[in-house]
Amino acid sequence: MTKNLHLRPLEKSDLEFMHNMRVKSDVMDYWFEEPYTTLEKMNTMYENSQDNDSHRQFILYQNDERIGYVGLFDIETRHRNAEFGIMIAPEHQGKGYAADATRLTVEYGFNKVNLRKLYLYVDEVNEKAVHIYKKLGFQVDGTLREHYFVNGEYHDAYVMSLLRKDYTFGQ
């Protein structure tokens, strides 16, 4: 595990860092979203989300440096599942942070939120992400054919999930 890698709740002071990632197409294409937002809009979304218990949003950092963002979204308390998402800042990609950040978030979801299942959507051409998810125990549940429009063409996406009973803690 990458040393000194931590999660802390997203704060208003992190929004400029988030905005810098959200306006980059090489980041947002993997979120299947346009790289289009304003800092003002992000401030509004942040303020509106403060009473929403169905999301857990974190800044990933090492020592005092922000590395990325992870989250658990649409947390279902009855069914005990949530969607997982991750965004690593471009200057920190390729350094092994994604696997460790995923592991930290999975363990938070299972151990702190008492989730039973995490799921995600990933572009099938994002081979590095698919490899990381499989390495941590996520399985492909199915393929959404030509589901997302990215860079002028439709892409297939995998739906992947991880059950708590299948996860090996501390791997």
Side-chain angles (χ1 to χ4, degrees), residues 78-160:
R78 179 179 180 198
H79 305 295
R80 295 181 31 223
N81 63 49
E83 181 179 354
F84 168 74
I86 183 170
M87 188 181 299
I88 303 293
E91 62 273 18
H92 297 292
Q93 292 177 6
K95 299 178 181 177
Y97 294 123
D100 291 338
T102 301
R103 188 178 296 108
L104 286 169
T105 310
V106 164
E107 291 180 5
Y108 180 90
F110 289 158
N111 292 332
K112 303 295 184 197
V113 185
N114 192 28
L115 295 174
R116 180 189 59 83
K117 178 182 179 178
L118 294 173
Y119 63 91
L120 58 88
Y121 302 91
V122 60
D123 194 324
E124 73 175 2
V125 303
N126 190 351
E127 294 172 355
K128 289 179 183 177
V130 172
H131 173 75
I132 289 168
Y133 299 140
K134 285 182 176 179
K135 183 178 171 184
L136 293 174
F138 281 84
Q139 297 179 19
V140 175
D141 293 333
T143 302
L144 299 171
R145 297 180 317 127
E146 297 185 11
H147 196 74
Y148 293 107
F149 188 70
V150 181
N151 289 325
E153 58 187 32
Y154 287 92
H155 286 216
D156 293 350
Y158 293 133
V159 179
M160 299 181 77

Side-chain angles (χ1 to χ4, degrees), residues 22-124:
R22 292 189 57 97
V23 296
K24 291 181 170 64
S25 62
D26 58 338
V27 174
M28 295 313 295
D29 284 349
Y30 291 118
W31 274 63
F32 309 115
E33 294 181 21
E34 284 183 83
Y36 176 81
T37 193
T38 64
L39 192 53
E40 199 171 313
K41 183 177 180 180
M42 290 186 68
N43 273 303
T44 301
M45 288 188 312
Y46 175 82
E47 292 299 331
N48 292 339
S49 73
Q50 292 306 292
D51 293 328
N52 184 347
D53 287 333
S54 69
H55 297 339
R56 300 292 188 279
Q57 300 178 77
F58 301 96
I59 291 296
L60 174 68
Y61 68 99
Q62 184 177 42
N63 301 321
D64 292 328
E65 185 176 12
R66 294 177 184 105
I67 304 295
Y69 164 84
V70 293
L72 300 172
F73 306 98
D74 300 322
I75 296 170
E76 285 282 340
T77 54
R78 179 179 180 198
H79 305 295
R80 295 181 31 223
N81 63 49
E83 181 179 354
F84 168 74
I86 183 170
M87 188 181 299
I88 303 293
E91 62 273 18
H92 297 292
Q93 292 177 6
K95 299 178 181 177
Y97 294 123
D100 291 338
T102 301
R103 188 178 296 108
L104 286 169
T105 310
V106 164
E107 291 180 5
Y108 180 90
F110 289 158
N111 292 332
K112 303 295 184 197
V113 185
N114 192 28
L115 295 174
R116 180 189 59 83
K117 178 182 179 178
L118 294 173
Y119 63 91
L120 58 88
Y121 302 91
V122 60
D123 194 324
E124 73 175 2

